[in-house]
Amino acid sequence: MQCHRSASRLGAFRRSSYLLQAMSHSVRVVSGRHMCLQYVRHSVLSKDPHRSDRSAFLMPKSDGSSYTFTSCRSQSGAVTDPIEQHRKRLSAWFSCLPTEERHFGPSFALDSIHVDPVIRERSSEEILGPQSEPTLQFQLQRPSCPQTMSVSQLFQPHPTEKPVRNVVLYGTVGTGKSTLIRKFVLDWCHGRKSEFQLIIPLSCEDLSQVKTPVSLTRLITKKYLHLRELLPTLQEFSGVLFILNSLEWMDLDFRMANTELCSDPNEPMPPAALLVNLIRGYLLPEANVLVTTRPSALSRIPGKYIGRYAEICGFSDTELQKMYFQLRLGHKDADPRETANLAEMLSRNLEHHSQLSAACFLPSYCWLTCATLHLLYYTKPDDSPMTLTGIYTTFLRLNFAGEVLDVTHPSKISLMFYVARTIGKLAYEGCNSRRTKFTLADITKCLHVQMNSEEELNLLTVFRSDAFRFFLTPCVQLGQEDHFVFTIPAMQEYLAALYVVLGENKTALQRFWKEFSEVISKAGEDVVAVVNVLSKFLPLRIFTLFNLLRVVPRLYGKVSGQSRENIAQTMTAEMFREEDSYNDDVIDQINSSILGVEGPLQPTEVDIYSRQEAFELFPIFMAGLLSRQNRAMLDQLGCPIMNMDALKITNALKKQLLRSSLLRLPPSELMDFLFFLYEFQNQGFTTGLVNSLKDLDLSTVRMTPLKCNVVAAVIGGTGKLLTDANLSSCHLDPDAIHTLAPVLRRCQNVNLHMNSLGPDSCTEIKNLLLHPDCAISSLRGHS
């Protein structure tokens, strides 16, 4: 306590000196260097490397009660109000589009497409009470939200007039915490949050990487250099808000014996201690604190320090979902008529298929739905190639990049790798048995894989509370309420593919052999070094047994090579299943799962999950995950696929596919095969397989812009000369003819019968026939 009082006196003395200095100098010009703006990450997890090059001034009020910020002009005449500088720089930082959004065009600004999710207030008894069972958690997934509130009401006093200083905003993965904070900060930057004079966002992920003691003022100065003139008198002001994003990255300890009390913002302390004192109210007691976190970290802050708990419930009704889709699909680059048609079909499907509506309660899945529709309907030939696997991997990177399941666990296991190992196993077993619905016993069996210690049980508890509902949801079909399905049907096939490509589908004996080989290999290196020294003095026959240590890793290498052959065989077998030969192609299946089936409504609700039992996306996702771009993103997710493993799988797959591609495939299966090669994004691999094709029969396949791009990318780039190209009854239009031109002009006989091309296509066909490389000898195009 004596140390604490001394620190307080020292802080008061420093504040007094700063006060006298501010009153004695009416003008103070501070020059600084300027560092260019860099956008490091899409959320508030980023570090802000801005530096100020303008001056700031502090002037006392006439009554002397406190200070206000007044703007002056530097020698160049520019306004140098530090608060305005802060608004502009935060606005530039938080307005930057994430990498995942840039592909979809510059019109997807947060101000134009944001829809606030439902927020409801929760009591501390609900938060800190006994943990619920998984079945009850699922029942609470889409709450009725009796006490909903808006973001502007987070810091309003309670009905008892009790002021609210600290607010915890929490939600599971994908509910939109980071997006909501970005919008909150942007509203303040644009003058729409007048209750706060200053907002200072801090990233708990960044703070968790700071290993040396640091003071609060130093921490703010390093991040926001333009605020350094305000920091000496920051304690004198009200209306300051600290935003602590992603508290799950910090291991806080509020016990007096372990965390020293401190009220001096200039005293260096460990970052965790700074946050503890800030939340307690010892540091800057007049400031407000907004904390965002996942549910598993709620207990790290004692309830007595929290004025309000607010839970993000997502889009709990279809009206919010429809609003989001209309804003998202109606961007300025889209055809208004096509957008209106897509929005109408999607709204109708949401109303008639409650399982899709249940999936879209997560804003993240609404994003995935719109991104998939963008791929299906807005793909242009000149766009950079975007694959379906790339969209799903991008989607997971947007939600899980850099995320650790539990920072307090010594393993620091990646959250996505834990998902691939557990939920991926459930998905793979479902694909093998052609199931989309799972009982609680099925789920429990997969989640308890390698459950051998208390620490692993704790990891499971964290995963259940934070991310389980992101992937699984209760089935809403009558009579199936006790079963669970994947939130998005295609996610089951993606996770199953990831599980296989990562090599996790091993038997218990194979897992033991791998671990045994790794141990022997490490021990063998040391033993062999000793043997090499002793062999100079003793007969080598004595050490024959030790030389066996070198055999084990080599033998395991042969076994693992065989497992890669198995992966290639699995992909080929799934790709050419006879029972799937006459299904719709996978692109049409994806379209139907989102927009429904065109035509009159069925008398009963169509179960979209039953239409996915073909699992034809499973091998396509496996191919896509082996592409270099997706492997780079998976590495960021903590799911690395080694280059040598990918090369060996690719070589084994090529041998398997060369046998199967020589068969004559039905049109829809041929389209799937071309889509498979497109997802692979390996031109050398594709060329070797396309050269085995003799003709192209896609008759009756509805050739959408995406399918035309797929065919042009896969076949057009090889220059392969084909005998026949049958594109009759394919719904072709002039744009499709233009896109397919590199393929059509390398075909001897072209059939465009029953497409109703019309006079507008004459120009495209003329350009096609007059091209120097045109090999067409017969063209049939009557309607």
Side-chain angles (χ1 to χ4, degrees):
M1 291 298 296
Q2 185 176 359
C3 178
H4 174 58
R5 286 194 297 269
S6 300
S8 300
R9 295 191 192 103
L10 179 60
F13 173 76
R14 290 175 177 173
R15 290 194 297 273
S16 300
S17 63
Y18 286 131
L19 179 64
L20 292 174
Q21 186 178 6
M23 295 176 63
S24 61
H25 295 278
S26 59
V27 176
R28 183 189 306 166
V29 179
V30 179
S31 62
R33 294 176 295 175
H34 176 74
M35 183 177 295
C36 66
L37 175 64
Q38 297 178 350
Y39 183 75
V40 180
R41 292 193 60 184
H42 59 272
S43 66
V44 293
L45 304 178
S46 310
K47 294 182 179 180
D48 184 19
H50 293 156
R51 293 190 178 184
S52 174
D53 60 347
R54 297 185 177 93
S55 55
F57 299 90
L58 295 171
M59 296 294 292
K61 285 186 178 180
S62 57
D63 58 0
S65 59
S66 62
Y67 285 82
T68 59
F69 306 114
T70 61
S71 61
C72 294
R73 296 184 180 273
S74 62
Q75 295 177 353
S76 62
V79 178
T80 56
D81 184 349
I83 299 296
E84 289 304 314
Q85 289 186 38
H86 191 57
R87 290 180 192 270
K88 291 180 180 179
R89 299 196 177 190
L90 281 185
S91 177
W93 176 27
F94 281 83
S95 297
C96 287
L97 289 175
T99 304
E100 291 79 5
E101 293 281 18
R102 292 174 189 170
H103 177 81
F104 304 109
S107 60
F108 289 102
L110 190 62
D111 281 341
S112 63
I113 61 171
H114 181 74
V115 176
D116 281 334
V118 171
I119 302 174
R120 66 167 182 165
E121 185 172 0
R122 297 286 298 273
S123 65
S124 58
E125 290 77 13
E126 292 178 277
I127 298 298
L128 304 177
Q131 291 293 324
S132 303
E133 292 298 322
T135 51
L136 183 58
Q137 288 184 357
F138 282 117
Q139 293 170 3
L140 294 174
Q141 179 171 333
R142 301 187 66 200
S144 57
C145 299
Q147 297 178 341
T148 59
M149 61 191 312
S150 64
V151 179
S152 59
Q153 296 174 317
L154 289 176
F155 287 93
Q156 286 186 358
H158 288 286
T160 58
E161 300 300 326
K162 180 181 178 181
V164 175
R165 179 180 181 270
N166 299 333
V167 173
V168 171
L169 185 67
Y170 73 98
T172 58
V173 175
T175 50
K177 299 183 296 296
S178 295
T179 303
L180 192 66
I181 292 300
R182 286 180 62 207
K183 184 64 167 58
F184 182 87
V185 173
L186 284 175
D187 284 345
W188 177 78
C189 293
H190 299 155
R192 294 191 287 265
K193 295 290 180 186
S194 57
E195 63 268 33
F196 296 110
Q197 189 177 5
L198 177 64
I199 290 182
I200 302 177
L202 296 174
S203 163
C204 291
E205 181 181 1
D206 291 342
L207 294 179
S208 68
Q209 306 302 317
V210 179
K211 304 303 180 184
T212 57
V214 62
S215 67
L216 182 62
T217 54
R218 175 60 178 164
L219 193 67
I220 298 174
T221 303
K222 288 180 65 177
K223 196 173 181 72
Y224 308 107
L225 184 60
H226 49 276
L227 293 180
R228 62 182 177 182
E229 291 298 314
L230 306 183
L231 297 181
T233 56
L234 196 59
Q235 293 187 4
E236 309 297 331
F237 292 94
S238 60
V240 177
L241 174 65
F242 285 88
I243 298 179
L244 308 179
N245 192 62
S246 300
L247 186 74
E248 64 270 7
W249 281 93
M250 301 295 295
D251 188 12
L252 304 183
D253 192 343
F254 281 77
R255 291 174 294 183
M256 292 277 200
N258 296 335
T259 302
E260 178 185 358
L261 297 180
C262 176
S263 60
D264 183 6
N266 297 307
E267 181 176 345
M269 298 190 73
L274 285 179
L275 298 191
V276 167
N277 282 282
L278 187 63
I279 294 172
R280 279 180 180 271
Y282 278 85
L283 272 178
L284 306 180
E286 298 299 322
N288 293 96
V289 180
L290 175 60
V291 177
T292 70
T293 183
R294 301 198 307 239
S296 62
L298 286 172
S299 59
R300 296 181 190 176
I301 303 179
K304 62 182 180 181
Y305 298 115
I306 303 303
R308 173 173 284 127
Y309 290 97
E311 178 187 11
I312 301 182
C313 302
F315 297 151
S316 60
D317 60 76
T318 56
E319 293 304 317
L320 286 176
Q321 297 169 7
K322 291 178 183 178
M323 187 186 306
Y324 179 91
F325 290 134
Q326 288 172 354
L327 291 174
R328 187 83 191 189
L329 295 175
H331 62 97
K332 63 183 180 182
D333 302 327
D335 183 356
R337 292 175 299 178
E338 186 174 32
T339 297
N341 184 44
L342 287 178
E344 176 63 26
M345 295 176 66
L346 186 54
S347 298
R348 188 166 61 244
N349 206 30
L350 286 172
E351 293 172 357
H352 292 281
H353 300 302
S354 51
Q355 194 69 66
L356 178 63
S357 177
C360 289
F361 99 97
L362 283 174
S364 292
Y365 276 107
C366 292
W367 182 94
L368 178 61
T369 299
C370 290
T372 305
L373 288 175
H374 189 280
L375 175 71
L376 294 176
Y377 286 92
Y378 300 120
T379 299
K380 298 178 182 178
D382 298 332
D383 292 344
S384 58
M386 189 65 180
T387 64
L388 184 67
T389 313
I391 286 180
Y392 273 73
T393 308
T394 294
F395 165 70
L396 292 175
R397 183 178 67 172
L398 188 64
N399 288 280
F400 295 99
E403 291 289 337
V404 175
L405 182 58
D406 186 5
V407 295
T408 63
H409 193 274
S411 68
K412 300 291 189 295
I413 185 173
S414 159
L415 178 53
M416 193 61 221
F417 183 74
Y418 189 89
V419 170
R421 194 178 64 181
T422 54
I423 303 299
K425 178 179 175 61
L426 179 72
Y428 174 69
E429 292 182 353
C431 289
N432 269 351
S433 58
R434 282 353 196 205
R435 288 189 302 145
T436 58
K437 301 181 181 69
F438 305 92
T439 64
L440 189 58
D442 296 330
I443 298 172
T444 303
K445 178 182 176 183
C446 292
L447 287 179
H448 283 77
V449 174
Q450 299 179 345
M451 190 62 60
N452 300 319
S453 66
E454 181 72 17
E455 292 179 344
E456 290 172 347
L457 183 60
N458 292 338
L459 284 179
L460 176 58
T461 302
V462 173
F463 175 68
R464 276 179 170 171
S465 65
D466 289 352
F468 196 15
R469 288 178 287 175
F470 185 85
F471 296 99
L472 292 169
T473 186
C475 182
V476 299
Q477 189 177 3
L478 292 177
Q480 302 286 332
E481 291 85 356
D482 58 340
H483 286 69
F484 303 95
V485 295
F486 278 84
T487 310
I488 292 291
M491 186 60 73
Q492 177 180 351
E493 299 175 75
Y494 179 92
L495 292 178
L498 181 61
Y499 181 76
V500 172
V501 173
L502 288 176
E504 290 295 317
N505 59 326
K506 296 183 177 71
T507 63
L509 180 60
Q510 288 174 326
R511 292 181 184 276
F512 168 78
W513 186 254
K514 178 182 178 182
E515 295 174 2
F516 177 71
S517 173
E518 291 175 351
V519 172
I520 292 298
S521 178
K522 293 178 182 178
E525 294 175 1
D526 298 331
V527 173
V528 169
V530 175
V531 168
N532 289 335
V533 175
L534 295 180
S535 63
K536 298 179 180 180
F537 307 100
L538 297 176
L540 287 176
R541 285 174 295 183
I542 298 177
F543 303 101
T544 303
L545 180 63
F546 295 103
N547 289 332
L548 293 176
L549 294 172
R550 302 181 181 183
V551 178
V552 175
R554 296 174 186 171
L555 183 58
Y556 175 73
K558 295 181 179 180
V559 174
S560 61
Q562 186 64 36
S563 69
R564 298 184 188 104
E565 290 278 352
N566 294 338
I567 293 175
Q569 290 176 2
T570 300
M571 295 172 71
T572 307
E574 292 290 338
M575 190 68 219
F576 298 101
R577 289 173 60 91
E578 292 184 5
E579 54 266 39
D580 301 336
S581 297
Y582 296 97
N583 294 336
D584 291 338
D585 60 80
V586 292
I587 297 178
D588 280 349
Q589 292 179 29
I590 297 167
N591 185 77
S592 299
S593 68
I594 298 175
L595 299 180
V597 180
E598 296 184 17
L601 294 176
Q602 301 295 325
T604 58
E605 180 179 350
V606 179
D607 182 15
I608 63 173
Y609 287 81
S610 64
R611 295 203 303 266
Q612 299 293 323
E613 291 179 359
F615 294 100
E616 293 183 85
L617 274 175
F618 176 37
I620 291 174
F621 277 140
M622 280 194 279
L625 290 172
L626 291 175
S627 71
R628 183 171 55 184
Q629 298 89 337
N630 283 308
R631 284 192 285 117
M633 287 190 285
L634 286 174
D635 189 61
Q636 298 173 17
L637 288 167
C639 301
I641 301 174
M642 299 295 105
N643 290 333
M644 186 57 66
D645 291 340
L647 178 62
K648 291 180 178 179
I649 295 172
T650 301
N651 291 336
L653 179 62
K654 191 171 184 178
K655 297 176 184 178
Q656 299 283 340
L657 289 178
L658 278 174
R659 303 191 197 104
S660 302
S661 62
L662 295 175
L663 303 175
R664 187 173 182 85
L665 300 173
S668 62
E669 286 297 293
L670 179 58
M671 187 68 240
D672 290 347
F673 179 60
L674 296 177
F675 191 50
F676 175 91
L677 297 177
Y678 176 77
E679 291 286 314
F680 212 104
Q681 292 291 302
N682 186 327
Q683 189 60 47
F685 178 85
T686 299
T687 302
L689 292 172
V690 168
N691 285 336
S692 64
L693 295 177
K694 295 182 179 180
D695 51 32
L696 181 67
D697 183 6
L698 295 175
S699 58
T700 70
V701 173
R702 188 172 62 92
M703 295 301 292
T704 63
L706 174 60
K707 294 177 189 177
C708 292
N709 277 346
V710 167
V711 174
V714 172
I715 300 180
T718 63
K720 167 69 175 176
L721 183 63
L722 300 174
T723 304
D724 297 301
N726 186 357
L727 295 171
S728 60
S729 303
C730 289
H731 302 271
L732 296 179
D733 57 18
D735 291 335
I737 297 295
H738 178 77
T739 304
L740 292 172
V743 178
L744 296 178
R745 61 174 173 252
R746 301 300 298 161
C747 300
Q748 294 176 341
N749 304 307
V750 178
N751 184 359
L752 301 179
H753 186 58
M754 299 298 293
N755 277 299
S756 301
L757 292 172
D760 295 337
S761 301
C762 294
T763 303
E764 295 296 338
I765 294 176
K766 181 187 74 171
N767 295 335
L768 177 66
L769 295 174
L770 295 178
H771 195 278
D773 295 335
C774 181
I776 298 176
S777 59
S778 173
L779 175 63
R780 184 183 179 189
H782 296 292
S783 57

